[in-house]
Amino acid sequence: MKVTYMNGAGNDFMVVDARGQSWDFPRMARELCALTGADGFMAVDYAEDGAAADFRLHFYNSDGSRGEMCGNGARCICRYAYELGIAGEQMRVQTDAGLVLGWRLSEERYRIRLNTPSVVDFSRKPGCCYVELGNPGIPHAVVEIPGLDWAKKEEYRAFARALRFDPAFPKGANANLFCRVGGEAVRILTFERGVEDFTLACGTGSGSVATALWCAGQAPGGRLTLQNPGGELEVEIRGEGGIVRELYLIGPTEIGKVLELP
């Protein structure tokens, strides 16, 4: 079995081609992620009948829990599928959160259409915007932390972890802390559900922060640069009347070592 290590802006994954296989994905996620300390595990599979997709993405967090989708993971899996000849430069990916469209922009840069927000709720918890991308949605809690400093992340850990498990969010939530850093740039730090730690980047988290700002009228241009500890991601929003119609994520992908395992 070949296992490919990939990362998108520092968000890293162990990836396999599982077409035609019957593997124990939760166990593989725990064991393979432990080899490198990766954030998640992804398996490419045949798309289900009627899905109108080029392939199926199975996504698991490093603790073996299944995830609905992953923004950086989706960009990486698009490159993986392109490199293996599974899909062309434009592709359709079946995920638990719905169909995801992807585009190859260059050898390393990929663009995906994130799942459209199904929930944007500013009233569920004071000082927080709750966002779900897709249906069933990927849950995100978005909170502004003025002067957010990555070097002080340990000072935010207790708050972020409490937010991740807050009873206001029945499914739990990824905790996204952010601050504006001038113009259309935002600094972000995400404590991810299933990883149970801060990660170097979160694609759906970046999309959720951008969604919260746009819906609040604080990103009228519809384009933001999200500065994650692992690198920059771009988010484009198209919509009207405070309703997001299309949400896009753009950023780098990297293919690392390929492991040959029994």
Side-chain angles (χ1 to χ4, degrees), residues 112-115 117 133 207 211 235-237 244 246-249:
I112 63 163
R113 180 174 174 180
L114 289 168
N115 303 105
L133 300 185
T211 293
V235 174
E236 297 176 352
I237 298 174
V244 176
E246 298 177 12
L247 188 62
Y248 296 92
L249 178 71

Side-chain angles (χ1 to χ4, degrees), residues 223-238:
R223 189 179 184 101
L224 288 169
T225 298
L226 283 298
Q227 299 174 357
N228 289 263
E232 288 190 352
L233 297 170
E234 297 172 40
V235 174
E236 297 176 352
I237 298 174
R238 299 175 187 174

Side-chain angles (χ1 to χ4, degrees), residues 133-157:
L133 300 185
N135 189 15
I138 307 164
H140 285 274
V142 177
V143 175
E144 184 173 8
I145 304 292
L148 177 72
D149 185 347
W150 296 324
K152 298 179 179 178
K153 68 178 183 179
E154 291 307 317
E155 297 180 15
Y156 311 130
R157 181 175 295 278

Side-chain angles (χ1 to χ4, degrees), residues 15-33:
V15 186
V16 299
D17 180 359
R19 292 175 295 169
Q21 304 294 334
S22 297
W23 289 335
D24 183 347
F25 291 151
R27 178 186 61 80
M28 292 177 71
R30 293 188 296 269
E31 294 180 358
L32 294 177
C33 289

